[in-house]
Amino acid sequence: MAGEEPDLSCPSWCREPAGHLRLEPGGDGDLHAADVGVIDVQEIPGLRPDGSVAVQIEQYVTRTATHAPLILLDFEELDSGDGREGLTVDAAEALIAVLRQAIVLLRVEAS
């Protein structure tokens, strides 16, 4: 209903402190967020240096809309935001499926 206050409760996965959302009328929205983990990635000489991939979940919320949560992969310096790629749950699941296929093909080749 128009004019109603949005639900400010957090989804179960949100790791922000209770009551963290600050939704100002006419202002920017805010985020539910969770740091899921960091994967260390080995150096491949001539291709990439040692690095990390951070996996996070974020959901953008405004006074009028709650957007679908995204799984974020950050391939650059953590918290820089420069190398972030956001995936919907369905896209992340599809990515997992093809990565598993690639792993199976490589494991078969190695055995």
Side-chain angles (χ1 to χ4, degrees):
M1 224 184 249
E4 279 189 29
E5 288 295 312
D7 180 8
L8 298 180
S9 62
C10 290
S12 61
W13 53 263
C14 184
R15 299 296 181 251
E16 297 294 319
H20 70 92
L21 286 182
R22 301 286 182 249
L23 302 177
E24 301 297 327
D28 291 337
D30 206 344
L31 295 171
H32 292 300
D35 290 331
V36 178
V38 176
I39 303 164
D40 291 325
V41 180
Q42 295 175 334
E43 176 184 8
I44 298 176
L47 185 60
R48 71 160 186 253
D50 282 336
S52 300
V53 177
V55 180
Q56 302 162 316
I57 302 172
E58 287 186 358
Q59 183 178 35
Y60 187 63
V61 180
T62 68
R63 302 256 323 147
T64 59
T66 299
H67 297 266
L70 293 177
I71 298 169
L72 301 173
L73 304 176
D74 190 345
F75 293 92
E76 296 291 327
E77 292 180 34
L78 301 182
D79 298 324
S80 73
D82 293 337
R84 291 180 5 149
E85 183 66 41
L87 301 171
T88 64
V89 172
D90 289 342
E93 195 168 55
L95 177 60
I96 290 167
V98 292
L99 287 173
R100 286 183 190 200
Q101 288 175 354
I103 291 166
V104 167
L105 289 172
L106 292 172
R107 296 277 188 227
V108 166
E109 181 70 24
S111 60

